[in-house]
């Protein structure tokens, strides 16, 4: 029933955009909203085949994507094909991550390749990234542009969560601290301090779940405050 309500909302968005679009853009608008409806039902069919019943969060995601498609159709209809391609890529990544995270053994085996790939991606971004609105966090490959830090967020959670089964292993904690420091350092070089703050808070949550040591976290927070004050003295506009 919720999915049918989403389809009704998609139809209303489609009609609003379709009749105000230029004649040459109407076909792409129709194909885009048809593709979004088909992808939503396709994912629902996969869930039913896998005997999974919860679909509320995915419905909300498709709701937001549909609103984004309406805005894109109104202001930049030539980008509708790109939007559909990125939705498909996002769904594939989501399904892969869902499969990996359901297996603790697979998650642990994947953490090293994922950490190395994330490190290389951030280093590539620091060297060759495109600076937009002050932050050097965009990479363009042909017609597609993306932010590597968004993919690294997924890798960061995977790498941190994969070691939670060994709560008191010092080697795992040191690895997580070094990986977190590298990610935050690269983001600082890219001037993407909003994402750096997200990474730091996520690291604190993972570290607390692993150790439960409030004194160590207080020391880490003290170092973080010192780093922030130093950063603000060098780049006061960030405040």
């Amino acid at each position: 029933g919720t999915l049918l309500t989403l389809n009704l909302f998609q139809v209303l968005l489609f009609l609003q955009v379709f009749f105000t679009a230029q004649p040459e853009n109407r076909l792409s608008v129709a194909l885009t909203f048809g593709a979004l409806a088909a992808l939503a039902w396709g994912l629902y069919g996969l869930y039913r085949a896998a005997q999974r019943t919860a679909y509320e969060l995915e419905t909300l995601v498709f709701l937001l994507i549909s609103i984004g498609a309406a805005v894109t159709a109104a202001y930049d209809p030539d980008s509708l094909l790109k939007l559909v391609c990125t939705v498909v890529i996002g769904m594939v990544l989501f399904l892969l991550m869902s499969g990996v995270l359901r297996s603790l053994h697979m998650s642990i085996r994947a953490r090293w390749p994922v950490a190395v790939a994330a490190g290389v991606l951030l280093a590539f971004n620091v060297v060759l990234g495109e600076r937009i609105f002050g932050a050097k966090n965009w990479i363009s490959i042909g017609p597609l542009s993306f932010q590597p830090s968004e993919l690294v967020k997924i890798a960061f959670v995977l790498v941190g969560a994969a070691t939670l089964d060994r709560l008191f292993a010092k080697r795992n904690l040191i690895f997580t601290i070094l990986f977190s420091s590298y990610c935050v350092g690269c983001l600082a070089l890219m001037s993407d301090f909003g994402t750096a703050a997200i990474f730091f808070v996520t690291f604190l949550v993972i570290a607390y779940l692993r150790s439960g040591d409030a004194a160590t976290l207080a020391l880490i927070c003290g170092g973080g405050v010192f780093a922030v004050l130093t950063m603000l003295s060098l780049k006061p506009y960030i405040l």
Side-chain angles (χ1 to χ4, degrees):
T2 310
L3 192 52
L4 290 173
T5 305
L6 170 66
N7 291 148
L8 176 61
F9 184 75
Q10 289 173 328
V11 169
L12 294 174
L13 283 176
F14 163 71
L15 292 175
Q16 178 181 356
V17 176
F18 183 81
F19 290 111
T20 57
Q22 297 295 325
E24 63 270 17
N25 294 325
R26 288 179 175 174
L27 178 60
S28 60
V29 170
L31 292 176
T32 297
F33 279 92
L36 291 179
L39 288 171
W41 279 100
L43 185 61
Y44 178 73
L46 285 177
Y47 277 30
R48 290 297 297 268
Q51 297 183 341
R52 293 175 57 186
T53 57
Y55 197 71
E56 291 79 8
L57 184 61
E58 290 79 357
T59 304
L60 289 174
V61 171
F62 276 106
L63 171 66
L64 295 175
I65 292 172
S66 301
I67 295 172
V71 175
T72 304
Y75 289 95
D76 189 12
D78 293 334
S79 296
L80 287 173
L81 176 61
K82 184 191 297 186
L83 182 143
V84 174
C85 291
T86 54
V87 171
V88 173
I89 293 171
M91 286 180 62
V92 171
L93 286 173
F94 169 70
L95 292 173
L96 288 175
M97 289 297 300
S98 298
V100 170
L101 290 175
R102 282 188 175 84
S103 170
L104 179 60
H105 178 68
M106 191 180 299
S107 299
I108 294 173
R109 291 187 62 182
R111 63 175 176 145
W112 283 106
V114 168
V116 171
V120 171
L121 198 58
L122 278 179
F124 183 73
N125 201 167
V126 169
V127 177
L128 299 176
E130 181 181 358
R131 191 176 298 277
I132 298 178
F133 297 118
K136 190 179 180 182
N137 55 2
W138 286 90
I139 287 180
S140 298
I141 301 177
L144 292 178
S145 57
F146 68 101
Q147 294 188 36
S149 59
E150 298 301 320
L151 298 176
V152 176
K153 286 178 185 176
I154 303 173
F156 187 75
V157 173
L158 173 62
V159 171
T163 56
L164 282 175
D165 64 316
R166 299 181 179 89
L167 294 181
F168 300 105
K170 186 176 293 185
R171 183 186 65 179
N172 290 325
L173 185 58
I174 292 173
F175 166 72
T176 305
I177 290 174
L178 292 176
F179 182 64
S180 303
S181 301
Y182 174 81
C183 290
V184 173
C186 288
L187 291 168
L189 291 174
M190 293 154 49
S191 297
D192 190 1
F193 294 101
T195 305
I198 294 173
F199 272 65
F200 183 71
V201 173
T202 306
F203 165 73
L204 290 179
V205 172
I206 293 174
Y208 182 73
L209 288 173
R210 178 180 291 124
S211 65
D213 188 354
T216 302
L217 293 184
L219 182 62
I220 294 172
C221 289
V225 170
F226 176 77
V228 168
L229 292 176
T230 303
M231 177 183 67
L232 291 178
S233 66
L234 297 174
K235 299 182 178 182
Y237 71 90
I238 294 167
L239 185 59

